[in-house]
Amino acid sequence: QLQASGGGLVQAGGSLRLSCVASGLPFSVYVMGWFRQAPGKEREFVGAISAGGGSTLVADSVKGRFTISRDNAKNTVYLQMNILKPEDTADYYCAARVGAVSRFGYDYWGQGTQVTVSS
């Protein structure tokens, strides 16, 4: 139901845009979140956007570099990642929940898309 794409290999300082397309659920009523998990580490919250797109929450580790947006007409949420660092290397996942923007409580998860940042 959630299909993430856009990962790849990029040099430090570069940019990538991840996309996550939803199907089979009323996308416009769901808060959408992005998470990441690096090898050997726990899953980490990256950011989230409200159902209408008017409110976002971004982790301190990516604030000022990553931006979340959504297009409800296309059932798609985006993660624009700029000034990438090697420590951003991870599998990135999108997720959906109802209610308020939050770091927790996501009900639906997509498969990951791999991002590798070389130094």
Side-chain angles (χ1 to χ4, degrees):
Q1 287 184 325
L2 298 176
Q3 182 78 33
S5 63
L9 174 63
V10 64
Q11 289 188 332
S15 298
L16 279 176
R17 188 176 80 157
L18 306 184
S19 300
C20 173
V21 179
S23 61
L25 54 81
F27 181 76
S28 63
V29 305
Y30 279 87
V31 169
M32 297 300 297
W34 285 99
F35 294 78
R36 66 186 182 185
Q37 187 166 21
K41 295 188 176 181
E42 293 187 353
R43 187 172 62 199
E44 175 188 17
F45 172 79
V46 176
I49 186 166
S50 61
S55 178
T56 60
L57 175 66
V58 180
D60 288 344
S61 58
V62 304
K63 194 168 292 183
R65 300 188 297 121
F66 290 13
T67 303
I68 298 173
S69 62
R70 65 189 294 161
D71 185 339
N72 285 350
K74 296 182 178 180
N75 285 3
T76 302
V77 60
Y78 304 98
L79 181 66
Q80 177 67 44
M81 306 186 293
N82 298 326
I83 317 175
L84 282 161
K85 304 175 181 180
E87 51 263 44
D88 295 319
T89 295
D91 289 328
Y92 283 72
Y93 300 85
C94 58
R97 59 162 281 157
V98 295
V101 173
S102 175
R103 300 169 184 267
F104 309 104
Y106 286 79
D107 301 304
Y108 300 102
W109 292 83
Q111 91 296 343
T113 185
Q114 188 173 56
V115 172
T116 302
V117 184
S118 63
S119 58

